[in-house]
Amino acid sequence: MAFLSYGPVARFRAEENAVKDTPDDPLAALRTLLGDAHVLTGGDVEKFARDWTGKWRADPLAVVRPANTAEVSQVVKLAAAFDLSIVPVGGNTGLVGGTSNTGALMISLERMTTIRDIRPAAGLAVVEGGAILSDIHAAVEAQDMFFPLTFGARGSARVGGFLSTNAGGSNVVRYGPTRGLVLGIEVVLADGRILDLMSELRKDNSGYDLRDLFIGGEGTLGIITAAVLRLVPKPRHHAAALVAVRDLPASLRLLRALQSATDGAVEAFEYMPRSYMTALATHRPDLRQPFAVHDHCVMIDLGGLSRPLGDVMEAVLEAGVESGDVLDAMVAQNEAQRRLIWDMREAAAEITFTRLPIVDNDVALPLDAVAQFIDDMHAGLATLDPGADTLIVAHLGDGNVHLTVYPTDDGQLDAIREMIEGVTVSLGGSISAEHGIGLSKLTTMTRRKDPVALDVMRAIKTALDPDNRMNPGKVIPERTGGAGTPPT
Amino acid sequence: MAFLSYGPVARFRAEENAVKDTPDDPLAALRTLLGDAHVLTGGDVEKFARDWTGKWRADPLAVVRPANTAEVSQVVKLAAAFDLSIVPVGGNTGLVGGTSNTGALMISLERMTTIRDIRPAAGLAVVEGGAILSDIHAAVEAQDMFFPLTFGARGSARVGGFLSTNAGGSNVVRYGPTRGLVLGIEVVLADGRILDLMSELRKDNSGYDLRDLFIGGEGTLGIITAAVLRLVPKPRHHAAALVAVRDLPASLRLLRALQSATDGAVEAFEYMPRSYMTALATHRPDLRQPFAVHDHCVMIDLGGLSRPLGDVMEAVLEAGVESGDVLDAMVAQNEAQRRLIWDMREAAAEITFTRLPIVDNDVALPLDAVAQFIDDMHAGLATLDPGADTLIVAHLGDGNVHLTVYPTDDGQLDAIREMIEGVTVSLGGSISAEHGIGLSKLTTMTRRKDPVALDVMRAIKTALDPDNRMNPGKVIPERTGGAGTPPT
């Protein structure tokens, strides 16, 4: 997937701005550039080598840790001189094999963690590419502001990683997808040049929208080394609840009623049906569930500025009880109970990857097609592998369903995957809502993405990275298809 | 700016999917393809030839009116065969010369106006590229939904035009910029292929974000022939006011107080200082102003779902009176008064273009830098042309300032433009917030945009339109700079 071949040293020496008097060995050159302590090899790369899910491995030439954007640029130029591939790595909590490689130079921004500026009056924060999401949360909340992007891995996910992945999370229902939460970025391109898109503006209409190519580019077009993040006022009042509902349509009615009653203050609306709550009871008995497992359950969090929302929550839930949509409910009475409800939802990742083999899906559907998707998927599964288990948890407010299938054996893996893809696409859905493509969805991209769209992506990739040096082999399948079938 | 030369007919005949038995004359070929009634020449092109501001002219070979996306595709292929440039045109209400051309084939989507589908439960509408914005508003509001994008030209602006322009408008403070209001698009590419990005999803992470390249691409990368628009629930309660305030910082305090008191229900927050209100009194005496002209004035509209907001508005304004931030105020008591306040704001375009010469600017600034911008700009102007008049109106909630300078003569036009650019960029602003680049800002792009960003734009343009056929000469300045200085 990556290419390790030593380019002619003459080419490197001629390179503009390159380090002088460099040895013929890339590792020696990197050590000269960054210092020995920041060129990791052997056992030192282990924490970058194995991804979080255990499905993907990296066997890089080295992991380097530049101190600033200028050093990232120099590393990229040096990699070009030695004809090395480059794979940027953040917190290594991605789910699609996005950092898997053999022989590439991995670039970690873990030394570039500075939160450079927080300006509440302008509603923005300026951060370096290695800053950790939860550190950003803490810093801006100390100034009574809020950066809405959040997900389970926030304690390790870094700016460059979660933006390159276009990570989504639980607050999209209120604050919109990730691209709308980013005002500007700085990128080191494949030729080492630094692209300055550090806009501090909500509206900026000066030429093509380059920013949103790199967000979600999974490191295949450049390395995001800094960003300007959009902040919103920190909600002052929260109201969280765990609610058993009659069925999925009842959930959507409840969502609409809450949106209407709170002027859109629904911060999270997460679907956790029987399969999820049962697995939660097994794997996390410490998270004590307030009522028996029902077929359909949602967790809700409201966030308001102007008024406490507990009364509104209770009034809407009471109306739901009367209409028969709500079967049982627990409204958090304090922050500890609210945290418990969130912990139940955020245990999803650890619960999901407990068994093998699995077919994990991260699909998005139009809101009015989610119930049909689940029905059709179960029908398909009953034919292919009636003994298979499923686990569903969904950002229901966004139509984003995380569906995991545990087949009875390895034989049906691809048939199940293809069936789920087919159901998704037939309902107008997407084969990736927020996890991205990486290596794991390349076959799916070949099968399901508009071929013209794939061609346009290839044209852009070639235009920006003609030597295919940046995270090669990810996101865009080979024209022949078939590459990158996941090992599982 | 455009190229008219007849390519070899053999190439056209070999073109895949091309019309057979075509004459050697492009107009004859187009008439065969679309019918005589839909290939306009001579006097019939007049309404497309002169843009709204009167600053830019088009002298096209012809204007064609395809009936559907397949015909758009065939027209583009035919244009390639005859080596014609292509300039798409919508309502022709742009402000930057985006459709100006000589000898190009203009494509109007005015026959493609169907609103194909409105699905409130999924929060979306599917529309053709020629649909008019105000028609979309009316259709979705009839189903109790709301498409938030709005601006003065909504009665003529068409989907393909306002998306290609990345038009902004008055509701960005609440609902965000245009890209966040579009779920999917369909595009005819430079080679005539149809790119299907008609996603119906809020979250879709399946490869590069191609959609947002074409939105704001100003027709230089392809023609937007259809779109999936994101709808929100229609606000049930409005509260509008015209408010005289002490100064700009007082305006921003008022904005924050209203956001906080209404959970972000501020739909519009428009700054209309003395220069604007005075011009309004002169040009639109029919719009009777409720109080004397003050130095600083804002118009406000709140939109709520759960509760009437008049009381909240009055409470916040009363607190403003007590603190001295608010000097006078008129709260609309009925829809007619609310409409009057909006008409005062939306008269901006007709007021602005009443005199020549002008230097019109559409800059965006970080919110905390708007006051400094106005001070610095006036200081610069006092040196360059002390007799010059200015007119300011701003989407203050977005930091988007429309600043028009009327110099005493033509001699200082570019010096004034350059001074304003300099002030804008020194404060972290953008030289275009929402009008785009077209021809009018090419020199400014050369002077002020990151050269690396310009190179990346050129690489993408070349990758997607290697023959430079789509709206050539717009958005991206020539590498040597200097092209496209506006005539004024």
Side-chain angles (χ1 to χ4, degrees):
Chain A
M1 208 52 71
F3 311 100
L4 177 58
S5 66
Y6 293 76
V9 176
R11 181 179 160 200
F12 171 59
R13 290 204 193 280
E15 182 81 6
E16 196 187 3
N17 296 329
V19 182
K20 304 298 177 204
D21 304 322
T22 309
D24 293 352
D25 165 20
L27 294 178
L30 288 163
R31 290 193 178 104
T32 302
L33 179 63
L34 303 175
D36 290 358
H38 304 303
V39 181
L40 310 180
T41 56
D44 292 342
V45 308
E46 192 50 36
K47 81 167 178 176
F48 301 99
R50 193 173 170 75
D51 95 326
W52 185 88
T53 68
K55 278 174 77 174
W56 307 97
R57 255 201 88 76
D59 185 15
L61 173 71
V63 177
V64 296
R65 301 188 299 187
N68 51 51
T69 302
E71 284 192 2
V72 175
S73 166
Q74 288 174 295
V75 167
V76 170
K77 287 178 178 171
L78 196 150
F82 284 100
D83 205 14
L84 294 173
S85 294
I86 291 167
V87 176
V89 57
N92 213 8
T93 41
L95 294 165
V96 294
T99 60
S100 178
N101 76 87
T102 303
L105 187 61
M106 291 180 85
I107 299 183
S108 163
L109 303 190
E110 65 184 9
R111 291 170 69 206
M112 295 169 58
T113 59
T114 305
I115 296 171
R116 288 185 198 154
D117 202 5
I118 298 173
R119 282 159 53 197
L124 62 86
V126 185
V127 298
E128 291 189 348
I132 288 179
L133 182 53
S134 57
D135 293 341
I136 296 169
H137 287 159
V140 304
E141 286 173 38
Q143 300 202 32
D144 215 25
M145 298 298 282
F146 184 52
F147 179 59
L149 182 67
T150 192
F151 44 81
R154 62 181 168 273
S156 49
R158 298 177 188 274
V159 169
F162 66 72
L163 293 187
S164 292
T165 313
N166 186 28
S170 306
N171 280 345
V172 176
V173 63
R174 177 157 198 184
Y175 298 101
T178 302
R179 290 187 174 95
L181 299 173
V182 181
L183 300 175
I185 55 173
E186 176 189 76
V187 181
V188 173
L189 298 172
D191 61 6
R193 286 190 299 173
I194 298 166
L195 174 62
D196 179 2
L197 303 172
M198 291 288 278
S199 171
E200 300 181 342
L201 308 163
R202 191 85 193 270
K203 274 175 164 175
D204 188 353
N205 207 10
S206 54
Y208 301 158
D209 177 16
L210 304 179
R211 178 191 69 196
D212 292 330
L213 274 180
F214 297 97
I215 298 177
E218 301 192 24
T220 63
L221 299 175
I223 302 171
I224 297 176
T225 48
V228 184
L229 306 177
R230 183 166 78 85
L231 307 180
V232 299
K234 182 182 168 188
R236 291 193 201 100
H237 309 282
H238 279 285
L242 193 71
V243 182
V245 288
R246 189 167 55 184
D247 52 21
L248 254 175
S251 306
L252 292 173
R253 282 193 294 273
L254 182 61
L255 172 60
R256 281 196 296 273
L258 285 165
Q259 296 285 34
S260 190
T262 64
D263 285 74
V266 178
E267 304 241 319
F269 195 87
E270 302 283 311
Y271 180 59
M272 307 190 293
R274 177 178 293 278
S275 62
Y276 184 81
M277 298 306 278
T278 305
L280 185 69
T282 303
H283 294 284
R284 293 294 303 272
D286 57 309
L287 301 175
R288 292 193 54 187
Q289 298 184 24
F291 41 75
V293 172
H294 290 260
D295 284 346
H296 305 277
C297 186
V298 292
M299 74 142 282
I300 303 163
D301 200 6
L302 309 178
L305 284 169
S306 71
R307 47 177 176 163
L309 293 166
D311 289 351
V312 179
M313 173 80 92
E314 289 186 8
V316 172
L317 292 178
E318 276 166 26
V321 169
E322 282 188 27
S323 74
D325 279 354
V326 171
L327 305 179
D328 208 339
M330 187 272 271
V331 178
Q333 299 301 313
N334 51 47
E335 184 59 24
Q337 289 184 356
R338 177 171 170 251
R339 193 60 251 163
L340 171 68
I341 291 172
W342 269 103
D343 286 346
M344 289 181 185
R345 171 59 185 88
E346 293 189 332
E350 64 177 284
I351 290 174
T352 302
F353 292 96
T354 50
R355 293 163 60 184
L356 288 176
I358 71 170
V359 181
D360 55 320
N361 302 275
D362 157 46
V363 305
L365 295 148
L367 265 192
D368 54 2
V370 173
Q372 190 69 48
F373 167 78
I374 292 174
D375 287 351
D376 291 359
M377 179 275 298
H378 276 127
L381 207 54
T383 306
L384 289 172
D385 186 354
D389 287 336
T390 60
L391 180 70
I392 289 177
V393 62
H395 304 300
L396 188 59
D398 321 316
N400 179 182
V401 180
H402 298 307
L403 159 69
T404 309
V405 179
Y406 304 97
T408 48
D409 61 59
D410 282 3
Q412 295 279 45
L413 281 178
D414 201 57
I416 292 170
R417 193 174 287 116
E418 200 163 353
M419 179 274 294
I420 293 168
E421 289 170 13
V423 172
T424 303
V425 172
S426 75
L427 293 167
S430 166
I431 46 105
S432 176
E434 59 179 10
H435 294 171
I437 302 303
L439 290 177
S440 78
K441 301 254 174 63
L442 286 174
T443 309
T444 302
M445 282 285 271
T446 301
R447 285 197 288 238
R448 304 298 178 178
K449 195 77 185 176
D450 176 23
V452 181
L454 291 177
D455 271 356
V456 174
M457 290 181 204
R458 286 185 191 107
I460 290 171
K461 168 73 172 172
T462 303
L464 269 60
D465 180 20
D467 297 330
N468 192 27
R469 191 178 309 290
M470 308 302 283
N471 209 1
K474 314 289 164 55
V475 183
I476 308 174
E478 299 284 329
R479 213 175 282 268
T480 47
T485 305
T488 308
Chain B
M1 210 52 70
F3 312 99
L4 177 57
S5 67
Y6 291 77
V9 177
R11 180 178 160 201
F12 171 58
R13 291 205 192 281
E15 182 80 9
E16 196 188 2
N17 294 331
V19 183
K20 305 297 178 204
D21 304 320
T22 308
D24 293 351
D25 165 22
L27 294 179
L30 289 162
R31 290 192 179 105
T32 303
L33 179 63
L34 303 174
D36 290 358
H38 304 303
V39 181
L40 310 181
T41 55
D44 292 342
V45 308
E46 193 49 36
K47 80 167 178 174
F48 303 98
R50 194 173 170 76
D51 93 326
W52 184 90
T53 68
K55 277 173 77 174
W56 306 97
R57 255 200 87 78
D59 184 16
L61 173 71
V63 177
V64 296
R65 301 188 298 189
N68 52 51
T69 302
E71 285 192 359
V72 175
S73 165
Q74 288 173 296
V75 167
V76 170
K77 288 177 178 172
L78 197 149
F82 285 99
D83 205 12
L84 294 172
S85 294
I86 290 167
V87 177
V89 58
N92 213 9
T93 40
L95 294 165
V96 294
T99 61
S100 178
N101 76 87
T102 302
L105 187 61
M106 290 181 86
I107 300 184
S108 163
L109 303 190
E110 66 184 9
R111 291 169 70 206
M112 295 170 58
T113 60
T114 305
I115 296 171
R116 289 184 198 154
D117 202 5
I118 297 173
R119 283 159 53 197
L124 61 86
V126 185
V127 298
E128 291 189 347
I132 287 178
L133 182 54
S134 58
D135 293 341
I136 295 169
H137 288 160
V140 305
E141 286 174 37
Q143 299 202 32
D144 216 24
M145 298 297 282
F146 185 52
F147 179 60
L149 182 67
T150 192
F151 44 81
R154 62 183 167 272
S156 49
R158 297 176 189 276
V159 169
F162 66 72
L163 294 188
S164 292
T165 313
N166 186 28
S170 307
N171 280 345
V172 176
V173 63
R174 177 157 199 185
Y175 298 100
T178 303
R179 291 187 173 94
L181 299 174
V182 181
L183 301 175
I185 55 172
E186 177 189 77
V187 181
V188 174
L189 299 173
D191 62 6
R193 285 190 299 173
I194 298 165
L195 174 62
D196 179 3
L197 303 172
M198 291 289 277
S199 170
E200 300 181 344
L201 308 164
R202 191 87 193 269
K203 273 177 166 175
D204 188 353
N205 207 10
S206 54
Y208 301 158
D209 176 15
L210 303 180
R211 178 191 68 197
D212 292 330
L213 273 180
F214 297 98
I215 297 177
E218 301 192 24
T220 63
L221 299 174
I223 302 170
I224 298 176
T225 48
V228 184
L229 306 177
R230 183 165 78 84
L231 307 180
V232 299
K234 182 181 168 189
R236 290 193 202 101
H237 310 282
H238 280 285
L242 193 71
V243 182
V245 288
R246 188 168 56 185
D247 52 20
L248 255 176
S251 305
L252 292 173
R253 282 193 293 273
L254 182 61
L255 173 59
R256 281 196 295 274
L258 285 164
Q259 295 286 32
S260 190
T262 64
D263 286 75
V266 179
E267 305 240 320
F269 195 87
E270 302 283 313
Y271 179 62
M272 306 190 294
R274 178 178 293 277
S275 63
Y276 185 82
M277 297 307 278
T278 305
L280 186 69
T282 304
H283 294 284
R284 292 295 303 271
D286 58 309
L287 301 175
R288 292 192 53 187
Q289 298 184 26
F291 42 74
V293 172
H294 289 261
D295 283 346
H296 306 276
C297 185
V298 292
M299 74 141 283
I300 303 162
D301 201 6
L302 310 177
L305 285 169
S306 71
R307 47 178 173 162
L309 294 166
D311 290 352
V312 179
M313 173 80 92
E314 289 186 7
V316 172
L317 292 178
E318 276 165 26
V321 170
E322 282 189 26
S323 74
D325 280 354
V326 171
L327 305 179
D328 207 340
M330 186 273 273
V331 178
Q333 300 300 312
N334 51 47
E335 184 59 24
Q337 289 184 356
R338 177 171 170 252
R339 193 61 252 163
L340 170 68
I341 291 172
W342 269 103
D343 286 346
M344 290 181 184
R345 170 60 184 87
E346 293 188 332
E350 64 177 283
I351 290 174
T352 302
F353 293 95
T354 49
R355 293 163 60 184
L356 286 178
I358 71 170
V359 182
D360 55 320
N361 302 274
D362 157 46
V363 304
L365 295 147
L367 264 193
D368 55 2
V370 174
Q372 190 68 49
F373 167 78
I374 292 175
D375 287 349
D376 291 358
M377 179 275 299
H378 276 128
L381 207 53
T383 306
L384 289 172
D385 186 354
D389 286 336
T390 59
L391 180 70
I392 289 176
V393 60
H395 305 298
L396 188 58
D398 320 317
N400 179 182
V401 180
H402 297 307
L403 159 69
T404 309
V405 179
Y406 304 97
T408 49
D409 61 59
D410 282 4
Q412 295 279 43
L413 281 178
D414 201 57
I416 292 170
R417 191 175 288 116
E418 201 163 351
M419 178 274 293
I420 293 169
E421 289 171 14
V423 172
T424 303
V425 172
S426 75
L427 294 167
S430 166
I431 46 106
S432 176
E434 60 179 10
H435 294 170
I437 302 303
L439 290 177
S440 77
K441 301 253 174 64
L442 285 175
T443 310
T444 302
M445 283 285 271
T446 301
R447 285 197 288 239
R448 303 298 177 178
K449 195 79 184 175
D450 176 25
V452 181
L454 291 176
D455 271 355
V456 174
M457 290 181 202
R458 286 185 191 107
I460 290 171
K461 168 72 173 173
T462 303
L464 269 60
D465 180 19
D467 296 330
N468 192 27
R469 191 178 309 290
M470 308 302 284
N471 209 2
K474 313 290 164 56
V475 183
I476 309 174
E478 299 285 328
R479 213 175 281 268
T480 49
T485 305
T488 311

